[in-house]
Structures are given as structure tokens and as C-alpha cells.
Amino acid sequence: MQIIKTAAKKVLWFFSYLGWAYKYARLRLGFNTLKDIEILSIEFSSVCNLRCKYCFLDQLDRERFLDIAVYEKLIREVASNPKYRIKVMEWPISGEFLVYPKFREVIEITRKYMQQYPNFRPHVILNENLALLNEEKVELLLTSGVLKQIICSIDGHDAATFEDMRPPAKFDRVLANMRLLHKRNAELGHPVFIQVNNGRDERSKDQPLSEAMKEAFRMGDTVTLWNPKYWNESFNKKDRKFFPAKGFCSFVFNNVTLASSGKIAKCCMDLRGATVYADLNTHTLEEIWNSQARRQFLGLMSANKRKDVKGCDSCSITYTNNDNRYTNWIRTGRRMLAGAQRF
């Protein structure tokens, strides 16, 4: 049975590879490839209010906060040009959205262009650590008409393991804010899909959930699980050993990542700015997407020379889907813990 599963996986990967190779060929031939951009990942802040155990946000020489004018420049371009067909916008890829001083303006700008351009209807996902929520912020997020999904990070199996993995967050505060979010979402008729994303390290692996953690899970429309195993160079790892992937990766073909510096990176998993290759401050996204620099690293990836692509040579991620919409799980039957009913 395992042999059959392995063979099936290789066959599926091969046909997927052909699809991405076709996209690269179209770029080389000068066809419109803007429609290939499916996901916009935004780093509004290179700083965070938490110091999570398995995340290593390294500001280095990057800007602390994204220039709001650069964000609007990006949204204006992709909304007004019908060649773009953005499916997903994910906020943020690092840091914490509510740390960003102009998070209200982000919502207003996005809503303005959604109202002005009917073709611009991305599925907006907010990644949220819940530590800074209050009634006013919950009301803004849920009534904006912009957000479709909130991914709430609640790690561990009880209060102690949560606080070990996500310092200096306090579990009681996070649980109270989760209750606030859940209650108001229900009162408003459930405008936003709430996902609980739960990480388990060795300390929490196979351990029973505390009653409070079960409550947190039940308040999510679904619960997804992850465990720190193989990490990118972007992430903190005491022994500094990495397991770089050797295979083909699709991130570079369908994802645009806007870093806090206003520069464009190859990948939303890059928390150190290692894959930056262009500057949105001085160029349009169309110019960047069709640039010689991008053609060069796409050519290397297509030729199975990942080790020669800057930033991708130390990444452990491949054979993956970077589209985090909950509708994918429902549509394909991969919704992991539907309604969190088992809790």
C-alpha cells in the first residue's frame, strides 16, 4: 500500500510540475502571466508583540513598518488592471497585524478598492495571535466586509504549554479574546470563518487537551494542527541544522510577497528578507513579475536547480499548497476537524 501511495504522489507531482513548467514557458514567450498571481502575502510589520518559540523574526536592516502608500500602490494596481485575478490576500506573513500603526487604514484602503472595482474580490485572511484584541478591534475586523477568514494561533495542549510556546502571551487573556471574537461573530451572523491553528511540540505531542483548550477549539469553525519538525533558515533552531528541500516549489510561480521594506520577495515563508529580488517603491508589480531577475530564478527552479536560487537553497518546503483558504478544505474533503465537534 505504501508503494502505491508513493507512486501516486510522484505521478501527481509530475503533472503539477508540467503545469508550472507551462506557466514558465508562457512567461518566456511573452504572454500575459499576471493572471498567474493568485496570492498576495503582506508583511505590514517586521516586529511582533510576541516572541514565539518556533518563530525567528529577524528585522535585520528592514523597515519596522510597511509604508502605507506602498500598500495602496499595490492594491490600486491589482484592482484596476483586469489582467490580475488575485484569489487570496493574506495578512500578515509575519509580525502582528494589530501592532501595525495603520491597520485601520489598511482595511479602509482595501474596502475602497473592492467597492470601486467589482473584479477585485480577494479572499482576505488575517493571521491573528489574539493578544491585542478588544471590543473595538473585534468590531472593526468583523464588520469591515473585507475579511473572510481569521486564523487564530493557539498552541500547546494547556495553558502552560501555550505560554511556553508563545511568550509573553497569557493564555487566560487569549482565551477571553477568543470568546469575545466568537460571540460577536455569531451575533453578526457569522461573517468571518474562524480557524484555530494549533502547534504541538514534543512537550505537547499526544497529550490530552485541557478543558480550557477544548473550549478554545470548539469556538473555531475548524482546527488545523502543525508540529515543528523541519524548519527553514528563517526560523529559530538551536542546533542550526536545516533540511533543505531538493524538489520543485510552486511558491515562486503564484505568490507575491510584499515585505515591510516595500520590496518583493519570492516567498511568504521568508522571515529574514533572504529572497528579496525587486522593489515596489520604484517599479510596478507588472514590471517586477515580468523582470529578467524573476525569469532567471524561475528558469533555475524549472530546471531543478533549486540549490542555485538565493533563499530557496536552505528552505525545507516543497510539494505544498500555499493557498490557505478554508474553502479548499471543504471542497476537497481535507477539512481536518470540521466544526471542532470532537472537542
Side-chain angles (χ1 to χ4, degrees):
M1 180 61 69
Q2 185 58 43
I3 295 176
I4 294 175
K5 288 182 178 180
T6 301
K9 183 178 180 180
K10 289 182 177 180
V11 170
L12 289 173
W13 175 86
F14 175 74
F15 282 104
S16 175
Y17 172 82
L18 289 179
W20 297 115
Y22 170 70
K23 291 178 184 294
Y24 173 63
R26 289 176 65 251
L27 174 66
R28 295 288 300 178
L29 292 171
F31 290 97
N32 168 40
T33 61
L34 296 182
K35 66 180 182 180
D36 293 339
I37 304 175
E38 298 181 357
I39 302 167
L40 297 181
S41 303
I42 314 295
E43 181 186 55
F44 292 104
S45 171
S46 65
V47 295
C48 186
N49 58 312
L50 302 186
R51 295 293 181 269
C52 296
K53 189 174 182 179
Y54 297 101
C55 178
F56 186 50
L57 262 181
D58 193 346
Q59 187 180 335
L60 299 175
D61 60 348
R62 294 184 294 152
E63 296 293 330
R64 289 171 61 84
F65 302 117
L66 176 66
D67 183 346
I68 192 70
V70 175
Y71 176 74
E72 183 163 12
K73 176 185 177 182
L74 173 66
I75 300 306
R76 184 189 303 114
E77 180 180 346
V78 299
S80 62
N81 187 342
K83 291 181 180 179
Y84 289 100
R85 301 175 188 176
I86 307 300
K87 294 181 179 178
V88 179
M89 287 180 62
E90 191 152 5
W91 307 343
I93 57 164
S94 64
E96 158 60 33
F97 183 65
L98 298 178
V99 168
Y100 185 57
K102 297 186 177 181
F103 66 86
R104 292 177 181 84
E105 288 91 328
V106 168
I107 291 173
E108 282 301 318
I109 288 168
T110 310
R111 178 164 51 199
K112 178 178 74 173
Y113 285 98
M114 282 182 170
Q115 291 173 345
Q116 187 173 353
Y117 296 99
N119 60 295
F120 182 60
R121 290 292 184 274
H123 181 98
V124 181
I125 302 172
L126 174 66
N127 290 288
E128 179 54 48
N129 66 35
L130 300 172
L132 300 178
L133 282 181
N134 56 33
E135 290 186 4
E136 184 269 333
K137 292 171 182 174
V138 166
E139 194 70 15
L140 173 66
L141 297 176
L142 295 181
T143 62
S144 68
V146 171
L147 295 178
K148 299 298 183 185
Q149 181 178 348
I150 299 179
I151 301 178
C152 304
S153 295
I154 307 179
D155 296 332
H157 69 279
D158 59 12
T161 51
F162 169 86
E163 292 177 4
D164 175 64
M165 290 183 69
R166 302 186 68 80
K170 300 302 179 184
F171 181 74
D172 288 345
R173 172 71 183 275
V174 166
L175 182 60
N177 287 339
M178 184 67 180
R179 289 169 180 154
L180 178 65
L181 179 66
H182 174 261
K183 179 175 181 293
R184 189 60 181 139
N185 197 43
E187 291 172 348
L188 291 168
H190 212 90
V192 175
F193 186 92
I194 298 176
Q195 173 186 344
V196 174
N197 193 34
N198 176 252
R200 304 284 187 90
D201 59 11
E202 290 301 316
R203 184 176 172 185
S204 284
K205 185 179 179 181
D206 300 325
Q207 295 298 313
L209 298 176
S210 68
E211 290 304 312
M213 190 63 77
K214 288 180 181 179
E215 180 190 355
F217 280 23
R218 285 194 295 268
M219 287 187 285
D221 295 303
T222 196
V223 178
T224 49
L225 308 174
W226 64 274
N227 67 289
K229 186 177 180 182
Y230 302 130
W231 290 97
N232 293 339
E233 193 172 12
S234 297
F235 290 85
N236 190 15
K237 194 174 177 70
K238 290 182 179 179
D239 57 11
R240 306 301 293 170
K241 291 182 180 178
F242 304 100
F243 301 85
K246 297 180 180 180
F248 177 85
C249 183
S250 65
F251 276 48
V252 296
F253 284 87
N254 69 356
N255 173 270
V256 167
T257 294
L258 177 61
S260 61
S261 61
K263 295 182 178 180
I264 299 295
K266 302 183 186 83
C267 178
C268 62
M269 294 300 294
D270 176 13
L271 303 187
R272 297 171 63 99
T275 67
V276 163
Y277 69 96
D279 193 344
L280 193 63
N281 292 284
T282 55
H283 293 82
T284 66
L285 181 58
E286 183 170 7
E287 290 170 340
I288 291 169
W289 195 249
N290 293 308
S291 66
Q292 183 58 39
R294 182 169 178 268
R295 293 186 185 205
Q296 183 178 18
F297 68 72
L298 285 187
L300 291 170
M301 186 68 78
S302 298
N304 200 28
K305 295 181 179 179
R306 181 182 180 134
K307 63 181 178 59
D308 296 326
V309 181
K310 181 183 177 183
C312 299
D313 54 342
S314 58
C315 178
S316 64
I317 297 174
T318 193
Y319 306 149
T320 188
N321 176 22
N322 54 326
D323 183 345
N324 293 319
R325 284 175 296 173
Y326 72 88
T327 48
N328 288 332
W329 312 330
I330 296 172
R331 182 173 60 252
T332 63
R334 289 185 285 116
R335 190 174 176 184
M336 297 182 68
L337 298 170
Q341 292 299 311
R342 63 182 294 181
F343 304 106

